[in-house]
């Protein structure tokens, strides 16, 4: 699904499904739609118009703005008086537009009769639209209604990705939380994932997809459906909103993060990406250049399968040497150096947790396979620390996880 790829996405993720929707398809009128949200503190009305690009709907303050700011100003100031005379096609078009919004607000019914086409009413209409835009883009009411809360794990990671910075949103949903559809060709699972990144009240990036997964059989309760979404975004500080839903079951989950920092990975500044942890055979394959790993949002992982650990080193010139230190510390316990026995699939002999690396350019991608089979069950903190040659301060990232037996 790619229906809400513009300002509608901002309003949807902040406030959910509208209570009423109205539109007016007609020659001479740009594509438009209005949404009504019924609220005890005052209804919110949002108007959207696609002016110049039929796939990019923008918020507008007044329904009159569908015709453009110049025309709206002339009508609102009385320079273009409107009448109910059927021989006046220009007035008829405006009145028909108002009439299409009768289910949005009673004021449009008054405007559609012609008797209510007055500057006072039009000013009130614009005031309501302007108030709605301010409230709608700067606050959250989260009335996205589901019959049940979707049991799901969600993780977000900031990485360089394929062609620039991106936010990687990963999800994992147990079979017990999903409702399968029985079809002639097998079992189908459908999951909707909507992600929006906001810079203040401005939408910077939006992605919307429905994933359809076909299986020969239903998932067991303790089996997981994994997936991810990559959202390209410029560097900056963002607010992230995510909606994950199983519409078949009527269940969903909403997650938010108001402090997503996306660095400029192309700048000559030493740093590193977030750490992405996966596990072979227990995730969705994520491919980045020549690397790939099975990503999962779960942080409760069986110890009988190696971990896949991915991260990026940024800002070092080609040929610059650096040291990568991987530490696992049991939360509430001591450091457990020396537990890695088969790093990168090597010998069974113990391997130190310090690795020497050489930068290949602005972005150096690192993928490590780590055997955790000798660790006892419990909660651990995985820390990766990068120290470049030349005395620069190290940078580090941490991931908490729980290892369980099978």
């Amino acid at each position: 699904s790619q229906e809400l790829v513009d300002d509608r996405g901002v309003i949807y993720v902040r406030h959910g499904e509208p209570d009423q929707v109205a539109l007016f398809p007609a020659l001479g009128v740009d594509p438009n739609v209005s949404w009504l949200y019924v609220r005890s503190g005052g209804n919110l009305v949002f108007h959207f118009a696609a002016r110049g690009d039929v796939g990019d709907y923008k918020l507008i303050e007044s329904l009159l703005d569908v015709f453009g700011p110049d025309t709206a100003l002339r009508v609102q100031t009385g320079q273009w008086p409107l009448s109910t005379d059927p021989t006046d096609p220009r007035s008829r078009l405006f009145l028909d537009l108002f009439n299409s919004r009768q289910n949005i607000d009673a004021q449009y019914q008054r405007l559609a009769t012609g008797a209510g086409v007055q500057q006072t009413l039009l000013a009130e209409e614009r005031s309501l639209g302007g108030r709605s835009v301010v409230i709608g883009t700067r606050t959250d009411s989260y009335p996205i209604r589901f019959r049940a809360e979707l049991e799901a794990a969600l993780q977000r990671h900031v990485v360089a990705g394929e062609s620039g910075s991106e936010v990687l949103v990963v999800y994992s949903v147990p079979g017990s939380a999903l409702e399968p559809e029985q079809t002639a060709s097998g079992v189908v699972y459908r999951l909707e994932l909507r992600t929006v990144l906001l810079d203040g009240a401005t939408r910077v990036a939006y992605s919307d997809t429905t994933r359809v997964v076909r299986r020969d059989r239903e998932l067991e309760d303790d089996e997981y459906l994994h997936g991810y979404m990559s959202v390209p975004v410029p560097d900056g500080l963002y607010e992230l909103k995510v909606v994950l839903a199983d519409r078949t079951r009527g269940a969903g989950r909403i997650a938010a993060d108001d402090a997503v920092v996306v660095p400029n990975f192309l700048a000559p500044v030493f740093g590193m990406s977030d750490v992405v942890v996966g596990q072979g055979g227990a995730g969705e394959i994520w491919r980045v250049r020549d690397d790939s790993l099975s990503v999962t949002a779960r942080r409760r992982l069986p110890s009988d399968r190696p971990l896949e650990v991915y991260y990026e080193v940024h800002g070092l010139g080609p040929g610059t040497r650096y040291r990568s230190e991987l530490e696992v510390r049991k939360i509430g316990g001591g450091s457990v150096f020396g537990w890695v026995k088969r790093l990168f699939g090597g010998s069974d002999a113990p391997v130190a947790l310090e690795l020497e690396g050489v930068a290949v350019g602005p972005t150096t991608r690192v993928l490590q396979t780590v055997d955790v089979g000798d660790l006892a069950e419990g909660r651990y903190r995985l820390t990766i620390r990068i120290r470049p040659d030349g005395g620069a301060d190290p940078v580090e990232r941490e991931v908490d996880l729980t290892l369980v037996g099978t």
Side-chain angles (χ1 to χ4, degrees):
S1 171
Q2 291 291 334
E3 296 177 353
L4 301 176
V5 294
D6 40 47
D7 282 355
R8 294 170 297 172
V10 175
I11 300 303
Y12 179 90
V13 173
R14 284 190 178 277
H15 302 283
E17 296 279 356
D19 295 296
Q20 294 286 345
V21 175
L23 49 83
F24 182 58
L27 292 176
V29 180
D30 288 321
N32 60 89
V33 65
S34 298
W35 290 358
L36 167 67
Y37 291 86
V38 178
R39 296 290 183 267
S40 58
N43 293 347
L44 300 177
V45 175
F46 301 100
H47 304 296
F48 308 89
R51 308 197 71 245
D53 183 350
V54 295
D56 188 14
Y57 281 75
K58 298 296 187 184
L59 276 167
I60 53 178
E61 285 191 346
S62 168
L63 191 58
L64 287 175
D65 293 337
V66 166
F67 297 99
D70 291 341
T71 299
L73 179 62
R74 292 179 182 180
V75 174
Q76 191 145 7
T77 58
Q79 297 178 50
W80 282 10
L82 303 180
S83 72
T84 56
D85 185 347
T87 64
D88 182 355
R90 185 181 64 188
S91 292
R92 188 72 265 159
L93 190 62
F94 282 94
L95 297 180
D96 287 345
L97 176 64
F98 293 141
N99 188 62
S100 70
R101 267 50 176 190
Q102 288 191 49
N103 65 326
I104 297 296
D105 194 281
Q107 65 181 337
Y108 291 108
Q109 185 173 13
R110 298 196 300 273
L111 290 169
T113 63
V117 182
Q118 303 165 359
Q119 278 60 62
T120 299
L121 280 177
L122 290 174
E124 292 175 357
E125 187 266 349
R126 181 173 291 278
S127 177
L128 172 61
R131 167 184 168 273
S132 296
V133 169
V134 171
I135 295 175
T137 57
R138 298 181 183 178
T139 65
D140 301 304
S141 59
Y142 286 147
I144 303 180
R145 302 177 182 90
F146 300 109
R147 292 197 300 270
E149 179 77 11
L150 181 65
E151 180 186 350
L154 286 163
Q155 298 286 341
R156 62 89 171 159
H157 311 282
V158 178
V159 295
E162 286 283 358
S163 57
S165 301
E166 65 181 38
V167 175
L168 177 71
V169 177
V170 184
Y171 62 84
S172 298
V173 187
S176 59
L178 295 169
E179 184 71 28
E181 297 179 31
Q182 301 292 338
T183 68
S185 59
V187 177
V188 171
Y189 293 94
R190 301 179 190 273
L191 277 176
E192 297 179 7
L193 181 64
R194 293 187 174 100
T195 301
V196 63
L197 285 147
L198 303 168
D199 179 4
T202 304
R203 173 189 60 86
V204 176
Y206 185 85
S207 190
D208 175 15
T209 187
T210 298
R211 186 182 179 206
V212 179
V213 180
R214 299 184 183 278
R215 295 290 185 98
D216 294 333
R217 60 172 179 81
E218 293 185 17
L219 292 171
E220 298 292 337
D221 286 352
D222 59 351
E223 292 182 302
Y224 283 79
L225 186 64
H226 306 274
Y228 67 88
M229 172 185 286
S230 298
V231 185
V233 62
D235 58 283
L237 175 63
Y238 299 106
E239 180 183 4
L240 172 68
K241 306 290 183 183
V242 178
V243 179
L244 181 66
D246 176 1
R247 293 291 181 182
T248 304
R249 183 170 173 244
R253 183 180 172 194
I254 302 165
D257 187 340
D258 60 1
V260 179
V261 178
V262 179
N264 180 2
F265 289 130
L266 297 178
V269 178
F270 172 58
M272 68 180 294
S273 70
D274 287 342
V275 176
V276 183
V277 176
Q279 195 168 49
E284 179 81 0
I285 298 299
W286 175 54
R287 292 181 173 84
V288 182
R289 299 290 175 89
D290 297 329
D291 294 324
S292 66
L293 70 155
S294 298
V295 292
T296 174
R298 300 188 67 207
R299 290 296 176 260
R300 183 178 176 86
L301 301 170
S303 60
D304 64 340
R305 281 180 291 194
L307 298 180
E308 297 177 340
V309 180
Y310 172 91
Y311 57 93
E312 300 158 352
V313 181
H314 295 283
L316 298 181
T320 303
R321 304 188 68 84
Y322 65 89
R323 178 176 299 167
S324 176
E325 301 172 354
L326 189 153
E327 176 186 278
V328 173
R329 185 181 298 272
K330 193 166 187 179
I331 297 177
S335 179
V336 288
F337 281 92
W339 59 267
V340 181
K341 287 190 175 180
R342 288 176 290 280
L343 199 61
F344 301 110
S347 69
D348 289 339
V351 177
L353 294 177
E354 292 187 358
L355 307 173
E356 297 291 336
V358 179
V360 298
T363 297
T364 301
R365 294 175 170 83
V366 182
L367 178 61
Q368 298 180 2
T369 300
V370 181
D371 189 340
V372 293
D374 289 343
L375 286 180
E377 294 186 10
R379 296 177 61 226
Y380 292 88
R381 178 159 296 150
L382 168 66
T383 302
I384 295 178
R385 187 177 298 108
I386 309 296
R387 300 179 185 273
D389 282 356
D393 292 336
V395 295
E396 67 179 41
R397 295 288 184 270
E398 296 179 339
V399 176
D400 288 350
L401 51 85
T402 300
L403 297 178
V404 297
T406 56

